[in-house]
Amino acid sequence: QVQLEESGGGSVQPGGSLRLSCVAAGLTFSYYALGWFRQAPGKEREFVSAINWGGDREYYADSVKGRFTISREDAKNVVYLQMNSLKPEDTAIYYCAADFTGTTRYSIAYFSRLQTWDYWGQGTQVTVSS
């Protein structure tokens, strides 16, 4: 069974930092594109970031560009989301996802589609408040 498990969420002051991790099991990790989404109560699930299977292309939503960094360590089956300069509007449940499409024609539009992604974690809560 494919399993994704997020960790690293918590409560932080505005301007602070958190590092989310997602550990995968049951798949050939290096062959998957990986991504992060977030969802606040009453709002749609929102694309945050993605990284391709080769780890040499990164994609970010405009709302987090310049503040968040996605990275992966394939040998450890881990994808990270480093979040800096956090704002209250970043408060949400954060989900990691994996995509085994095989395409090389990546785009923000492609990764922003929920149906693009094959597997999802259960989410980890991030709260940013004074």
Side-chain angles (χ1 to χ4, degrees):
Q1 283 271 39
V2 173
Q3 182 260 338
L4 304 176
E5 184 175 5
E6 303 94 338
S7 63
S11 183
V12 67
Q13 298 286 325
S17 298
L18 285 173
R19 186 199 193 202
L20 305 183
S21 301
C22 177
V23 179
L27 75 170
T28 304
F29 191 81
S30 61
Y31 296 158
Y32 285 76
L34 301 164
W36 291 93
F37 283 71
R38 65 188 183 186
Q39 187 168 23
K43 302 184 71 175
E44 295 181 339
R45 189 168 295 193
E46 174 190 27
F47 171 76
V48 176
S49 185
I51 187 166
N52 73 330
W53 59 264
D56 58 353
R57 288 201 291 174
E58 304 167 16
Y59 304 82
Y60 298 96
D62 288 341
S63 59
V64 306
K65 197 173 298 181
R67 300 188 297 120
F68 292 9
T69 303
I70 190 171
S71 62
R72 61 193 295 167
E73 293 188 69
D74 289 355
K76 297 181 179 180
N77 282 15
V78 176
V79 59
Y80 303 102
L81 186 68
Q82 178 67 47
M83 305 185 295
N84 299 326
S85 302
L86 283 162
K87 305 174 180 179
E89 53 262 44
D90 296 318
T91 296
I93 299 174
Y94 283 70
Y95 300 88
C96 67
D99 167 42
F100 186 54
T101 174
T103 186
T104 59
R105 297 181 179 181
Y106 296 121
S107 68
I108 288 288
Y110 172 79
F111 284 124
S112 295
R113 293 181 61 249
L114 293 178
Q115 298 304 314
T116 286
W117 300 92
D118 300 310
Y119 305 104
W120 295 86
Q122 294 300 305
T124 185
Q125 178 70 49
V126 171
T127 302
V128 185
S129 64
S130 300

